[in-house]
Amino acid sequence: MLKIFWPIFFVIVAIHGNPVSETRRFPQDFLWGVGSSAYQIEGGWNADDKGESIWDHLVHTHPEKIDDQSGADVTADSYHQWRRDVQMVKELHASTYRFSLSWPRIMPGGYMNHVSTAGIKYYSNLIDELLRYNITPMVTIYHWDLPQRLQELGGWTNPEIIPAFKDYARLVLEMFGDRVKLWTTINEPYQICEMGYGLDYMAPSYKYPGIPSYLCGHNLLKAHAEVVHMYREQFQKRQGGRIGITLSSSGFAPRNPDSAEDREAAERGFQFFVGWFAHPIFSRHGNYPKIVIDRIRNLSKEQGFTRSRLPEFTQAEIHRIRGTADFFGLNTYTTYLATTNGHNNTGNFPVPSFDHDMGIIYNHDGVDWPSSGSVWLKSYPKGIYDLIKWIHHQYNGPEIMVTENGVSDRGGLEDYARVDYLNSYLSAVLDAIEDGVNVSGYIVWSLMDSYEWKAGFNEKFGLYHVDFTSPERTRTPKISARVYTHICKNNGINWSYRPTLNKEQLVAMAQLPAEDLAGISGAKANTGTWHWCWSLTLLVSLLRRVSE
Ligand code: NOJ
């Protein structure tokens, strides 16, 4: 019987790792980071000569659209607390800090006629402080806070945005490119265009489905490409940095894996969500995915439009956009189950609309995956594996950097659910790497609790808790901060590392506002241990069968 024991044992070890050293390691030069964005953490909404952004405008004119009627006028006050922010990145042993620049802080009206010295100085100081501690700044040029004056011209739906964005990008590349070597142009085009113009979910909250989001996407892709060309021609050689874009997508799985129709629906989800922006940049031939072009053209015709609601690129534009990224930045959080939206529009989508064009019904109905502090976010680690592999195969193995991944809760320092999420998602990323996918880095969303857009301060993504009632916006590490430090230090996941609150955290916990304590999650079963129990059961039953 012993003869059979060792082969089975080795198979199990191969699947789950060595029980003695549970750490699974990432490639040597893997980049570990944490992220934030300007509007969500800075505050100082009208400090010095900062201009109004579309988010300032939205929260001030329509507070009722925000879950807790709040705004980010002060939020985590990083406009003043930036030194502490850098200290936190250092405490985490993360090598990279991803943050964004606020366009209206730098150019209050959106144009070059007024550049704010205070705005430039703020980011310059932050970058210098990061470099002092050997932390790589990764800068997002645009993360949703458009100058309101440009919105009054139609924002991203007006082609005027292209030269305006290029001027803004030129200025920041000139000002910071000597020290910043990692850039992304734009964060999450889908959210900017569909959630901002098609739906009522993000500023400017147009709620005008089916038309402006495609105009926005078209201009956005051109603006992105112009900036990358400019960087490559005028800056890259001299400054030696790299530039990409950050795209977002959830994963899509067929609701019924045995149904060819559901499998097609999931594939359509990928083509519409990822392909809309990725195909023009990363595919071999450029342009929007064929299925996206065809469906929107045909539906537009049926609906009585004389042209497709999806604008067409010229050959020259297709060529100019293709290849404009040194890496693929990916933000992802969850997965949806997809099925086809029947001809009679069973999903009840507005006609026309992006969702109706895509023609799939996608949701979490009936799944028992761990939930979070956000209704839209359920944990399904295999989803990130499938998504990364889909991108790898679709676009010829680009370098993928996970620029955002993380989970929300409703508060508290004992965030074991976040620990489980990070460990299991990272484990799935590692599976993809071991399959030969080029994933070069992973950036947790988020460094600290911050303003979660329309959810206000209700949903917390931070590794650090922020006391939004204290004048200095005190930051305290959660359990997940200590686990992530361990991950960064060891370049790997260790399932058995589950620290309990230390003295500093216990003191901080005693001072937390009541609403923060309400959301505390109890310690969950250790998933690593669970894997081992499962494997041992398997081993014992196999041995039994062999000895019978
Ligand atoms: C993506 C966005 O880039 C970020 O701003 C947001 O807070 C997270 N997702 C979580 O919703």
Side-chain angles (χ1 to χ4, degrees):
M1 191 174 91
L2 262 183
K3 249 193 215 157
I4 190 81
F5 175 88
W6 288 113
I8 295 174
F9 182 79
F10 283 127
V11 168
I12 290 174
V13 167
I15 295 170
H16 298 295
N18 181 344
V20 180
S21 144
E22 285 188 29
T23 308
R24 291 179 71 200
R25 292 191 203 284
F26 284 77
Q28 274 290 309
D29 51 353
F30 197 73
L31 173 158
W32 293 103
V34 273
S36 70
S37 89
Y39 184 70
Q40 294 179 272
I41 63 163
E42 284 177 5
W45 82 275
N46 61 356
D48 301 309
D49 49 349
K50 179 179 170 290
E52 189 188 31
S53 77
I54 54 175
W55 273 93
D56 295 323
H57 189 79
L58 178 75
V59 304
H60 293 153
T61 54
H62 286 288
E64 77 286 355
K65 292 197 173 191
I66 311 300
D67 286 357
D68 58 3
Q69 284 84 50
S70 66
D73 288 1
V74 183
T75 179
D77 198 24
S78 288
Y79 193 58
H80 300 105
Q81 306 296 336
W82 52 274
R83 281 202 178 83
R84 171 71 180 124
D85 294 350
V86 176
Q87 204 178 57
M88 288 159 14
V89 183
K90 189 175 159 259
E91 283 167 10
L92 290 167
H93 282 251
S95 63
T96 304
Y97 181 40
R98 172 179 183 252
F99 62 95
S100 77
L101 308 174
S102 159
W103 188 344
R105 191 179 294 293
I106 291 174
M107 292 159 76
Y111 286 108
M112 275 299 287
N113 63 326
H114 182 179
V115 172
S116 165
T117 318
I120 300 274
K121 190 161 165 259
Y122 171 67
Y123 293 112
S124 196
N125 286 341
L126 172 62
I127 292 164
D128 285 345
E129 184 79 352
L130 288 165
L131 293 175
R132 200 190 322 276
Y133 294 107
N134 242 334
I135 299 163
T136 304
M138 177 173 192
V139 173
T140 308
I141 299 176
Y142 181 79
H143 196 128
W144 306 357
D145 44 357
L146 191 73
Q148 173 62 19
R149 296 301 276 164
L150 292 178
Q151 193 59 58
E152 285 156 19
L153 301 177
W156 290 95
T157 62
N158 184 344
E160 169 66 9
I161 197 75
I162 303 166
F165 184 61
K166 194 172 168 188
D167 277 352
Y168 161 53
R170 182 184 300 107
L171 177 71
V172 302
L173 292 170
E174 251 159 27
M175 289 292 144
F176 310 127
D178 55 337
R179 290 158 289 162
V180 173
K181 306 299 168 197
L182 257 183
W183 296 93
T184 55
T185 52
I186 294 169
N187 178 68
E188 299 199 348
Y190 165 83
Q191 270 69 13
I192 295 169
C193 294
E194 173 57 7
M195 293 196 161
Y197 293 86
L199 308 173
D200 190 17
Y201 201 72
M202 293 285 168
S205 254
Y206 265 34
K207 205 179 180 186
Y208 180 168
I211 297 173
S213 39
Y214 298 127
L215 302 177
C216 165
H218 213 64
N219 293 325
L220 184 151
L221 280 161
K222 290 187 197 175
H224 155 82
E226 285 313 309
V227 169
V228 173
H229 281 292
M230 174 174 68
Y231 184 65
R232 286 180 176 165
E233 282 153 27
Q234 298 169 29
F235 297 94
Q236 199 161 35
K237 223 177 252 149
R238 173 157 55 93
Q239 298 180 342
R242 306 173 73 219
I243 194 162
I245 187 167
T246 282
L247 305 182
S248 61
S249 184
S250 34
F252 292 92
R255 175 158 284 286
N256 171 5
D258 297 329
S259 147
E261 215 180 291
D262 287 7
R263 288 199 301 272
E264 259 172 49
E267 174 62 20
R268 239 174 18 252
F270 283 121
Q271 293 293 352
F272 268 75
F273 274 92
V274 188
W276 180 8
F277 296 100
H279 206 275
I281 299 172
F282 295 96
S283 70
R284 190 164 297 148
H285 300 294
N287 205 357
Y288 297 118
K290 186 169 176 332
I291 189 163
V292 173
I293 296 176
D294 290 349
R295 283 187 70 93
I296 302 177
R297 193 209 299 110
N298 295 342
L299 283 166
S300 300
K301 201 166 166 204
E302 269 173 37
Q303 290 154 357
F305 291 91
T306 51
R307 294 173 289 136
S308 175
R309 285 174 284 102
L310 180 70
E312 271 179 38
F313 288 121
T314 63
Q315 270 312 315
E317 287 167 345
I318 290 175
H319 183 71
R320 189 139 178 93
I321 295 169
R322 201 169 54 82
T324 52
D326 296 333
F327 57 89
F328 190 124
L330 174 68
N331 291 358
T332 189
Y333 290 85
T334 194
T335 289
Y336 292 108
L337 295 187
T339 182
T340 292
N341 184 33
H343 279 301
N344 52 355
N345 190 13
T346 33
N348 237 330
F349 299 123
V351 180
S353 65
F354 174 85
D355 280 345
H356 183 259
D357 289 337
M358 178 166 56
I360 70 168
I361 300 171
Y362 55 104
N363 50 43
H364 284 138
D365 292 357
V367 301
D368 59 356
W369 306 337
S371 57
S372 71
S374 314
V375 275
W376 55 269
L377 204 175
K378 284 186 191 292
S379 168
Y380 179 66
K382 181 160 182 300
I384 195 171
Y385 170 86
D386 291 339
L387 174 60
I388 286 175
K389 290 206 82 168
W390 187 89
I391 293 168
H392 175 76
H393 290 303
Q394 234 1 253
Y395 304 121
N396 240 329
E399 173 187 334
I400 299 170
M401 198 184 295
V402 178
T403 37
E404 276 184 34
N405 180 241
V407 72
S408 60
D409 57 25
R410 294 289 172 136
L413 299 180
E414 286 182 297
D415 57 342
Y416 291 101
R418 179 167 293 105
V419 170
D420 289 336
Y421 180 98
L422 293 179
N423 281 338
S424 53
Y425 268 67
L426 274 168
S427 183
V429 170
L430 197 45
D431 290 343
I433 294 174
E434 285 166 0
D435 286 357
V437 179
N438 180 8
V439 184
S440 60
Y442 177 91
I443 299 176
V444 172
W445 189 268
S446 171
L447 171 60
M448 66 189 124
D449 292 343
S450 64
Y451 186 72
E452 180 55 20
W453 312 108
K454 281 216 163 165
F457 291 104
N458 287 343
E459 299 175 15
K460 322 226 182 224
F461 280 85
L463 296 179
Y464 277 76
H465 172 272
V466 175
D467 179 357
F468 292 103
T469 61
S470 75
E472 57 290 348
R473 300 298 192 266
T474 307
R475 285 106 155 105
T476 311
K478 303 179 188 177
I479 292 289
S480 62
R482 290 170 52 204
V483 171
Y484 194 56
T485 308
H486 198 78
I487 291 173
C488 295
K489 272 188 178 168
N490 292 292
N491 199 33
I493 319 153
N494 181 350
W495 286 95
S496 61
Y497 183 64
R498 293 178 81 76
T500 47
L501 292 179
N502 63 21
K503 232 198 213 147
E504 177 208 1
Q505 289 166 320
L506 282 171
V507 172
M509 180 110 121
Q511 292 160 1
L512 290 192
E515 71 266 20
D516 253 328
L517 296 169
I520 289 179
S521 56
K524 293 248 171 77
N526 181 326
T527 323
T529 312
W530 187 87
H531 280 176
W532 266 96
C533 290
W534 179 86
S535 295
L536 280 177
T537 316
L538 181 76
L539 178 61
V540 169
S541 70
L542 277 171
L543 287 174
R544 260 207 208 119
R545 210 172 284 170
V546 169
S547 59
E548 271 163 17

